[in-house]
Amino acid sequence: MSTDLAPATDPDVVLVGGGVMSATLASLLGVVAPDWSVTVFESGPAVAGESSGPWNNAGTGHAALCELNYTPAAGDGSVDVTKAVTINEQFQVSRQFWSHLVRAGLTGSPKDFITPVPHVSFVTGEAGRTYMRTRHRAMSAQPVFEGLEYTDDAAVMARWLPLVMAGRPADQVVAATRSAAGTDVDFGSLTRLLFDAAEERGVHVHVNQRVTDLERRDDGRWTVTVRDTASGEERTVRTRFLFVGAGGGALPLLQKAAIPEIRGFGGFPVSGMFLRTGSPELVSAHQAKVYGQAAVGAPPMSVPHLDLRLIDGDHSLLFGPYAGFSPRFLKAGSVFDLPLSVKPDNFGSMLGVARAELALTRYLIGELLQSRSARHTTLTAFVPLAEQQDWDMVTAGQRVQVIKRDRATGRGVLQFGTELVVGGEGTIAGLLGASPGASTAVSAMLTVLERCFPDRIAAWRPRLQEVIPSYGHRLNEDRALLAEVRADTMQTLELNG
Ligand SMILES: Cc1cc2nc3c(=O)[nH]c(=O)nc-3n(C[C@H](O)[C@H](O)[C@H](O)COP(=O)(O)OP(=O)(O)OC[C@H]3O[C@@H](n4cnc5c(N)ncnc54)[C@H](O)[C@@H]3O)c2cc1C
């Protein structure tokens, strides 16, 4: 990785930001357009320093095996699994692409970034159990979720989740589902491996280089202004395609690009905190990722979960997230990020959201005012015998939730997913939002290729299908392909335990 700007003159493609999204797009371009010159600018001193850093996210390979917010209950009690199926299929796309990279010798050992960890959903109370039974019936009817186990037997759960069950009242109603197909992913390590491989094939990755302005030229290309964060020196490069993979920094840059497609969008930053323990005794009693239900009025990204993590060879447990508020769009951002993002074209949307999202406001204030012992009490709902001194608070990444103008009503709405913004006749794309995030990076970046290069995608399809066999297919609708893809990725990514 270089801090020198010199080799970056007028590349075919500029990727802004050194997170998992840019890293994935750089890798995909290596598959479909290996002769294009690609330059990456990262403002921080290293890649994967923001949301893609291992301690800045929860490392869950989101395959919808345990996240209850992907399977909402309707008023009649039925459970909709549509979103869960899509997320699972998207994660299978990531797994296939990572398998290709492993086979091609581009990422070293898969153990450096992905580990099998069972995914469990856990609820208490009669209403929770009824929901869980209905959800299990609906999910296990889908090919991608076949094999999902259900129990409301406390003895079985004590085997699945010793730490969660110890000290629980014997008469408490509990229910859970479990999938052995779950994973923990070190997205920081993956990002570094992808950039290392990209550099080997000639991609220039520059750190300490902040992109400060984007301007469309008369010839359709973009002028990218880059400032060296150490020397303050400023340079410009020209490119014909620009991807703004700047995470929380994407909104201000897309606003600078002044594309009409960004009008009306705003961002609302929510910071996350986790309790962490490295106690070997606790870690050995919890070899799973367990997701519960969000509190009433709480946003989907606040779903509590207790996760086994494997980072740099060390095991630990994370519990959270606890939400916080900071006006910064990046951990290393500025307190002016939020106020400076308010523009005449998004002021209405942002004001509308501030008025409409009273439950969220109340939730955030409640979270902010929580004392250390109140946070510990939240933990004991998951780990009844938890001792405060075993757990430390760590601050995770910033999530900038998307605020968007609803076309039908003209009002601003807060979204918890991701939004790909494409402008300039497909010469610029940027990703806003954070969920389901890094796990679906490959699908998100394939969408960038499809939307920005519609005239080339047909020619690229055969090569993409070679490296991602399910590309263009719904795995849930093709059992033979699903079985083949599963077996292959399990073996290549060494997920058989
Ligand atoms: C608390 C939390 C928990 C999460 N848990 C999960 C999870 O369990 N599973 C999952 O799949 N996803 C999870 N996510 C989401 C996931 O982390 C993100 O979706 C993903 O990392 C985003 O990658 P990115 O490349 O878009 O952004 P980032 O990793 O944030 O990278 C953007 C980069 O752009 C750089 N940058 C910004 N502005 C500029 C500029 N002007 N010039 C140059 N560089 C710039 C930044 O320094 C940064 O390095 C979580 C996120 C958070 C915050």
Side-chain angles (χ1 to χ4, degrees), residues 57-67 88 91-92 94-95 98 110 113-120 179-187 287-291 307-310 439 489-490 493-497:
N57 63 68
T60 301
H62 285 305
L65 299 168
C66 61
E67 308 84 343
N88 187 284
F91 190 60
Q92 303 297 335
S94 293
R95 282 172 55 144
W98 299 339
F113 65 92
I114 189 164
T115 312
V117 175
H119 282 192
V120 180
S179 169
T183 52
D184 179 62
V185 183
D186 180 340
F187 292 108
Q287 297 288 302
K289 282 176 176 276
V290 185
Y291 276 59
D307 288 47
L308 175 67
R309 302 296 312 276
L310 181 61
S439 303
T489 58
M490 294 274 285
L493 297 176
E494 300 176 27
L495 298 176
N496 290 312

Side-chain angles (χ1 to χ4, degrees), residues 5 12 67 110 190 208 228 245 250 258 425:
L5 199 55
D12 295 320
E67 308 84 343
L190 176 67
N208 290 328
D228 185 312
E425 293 88 41

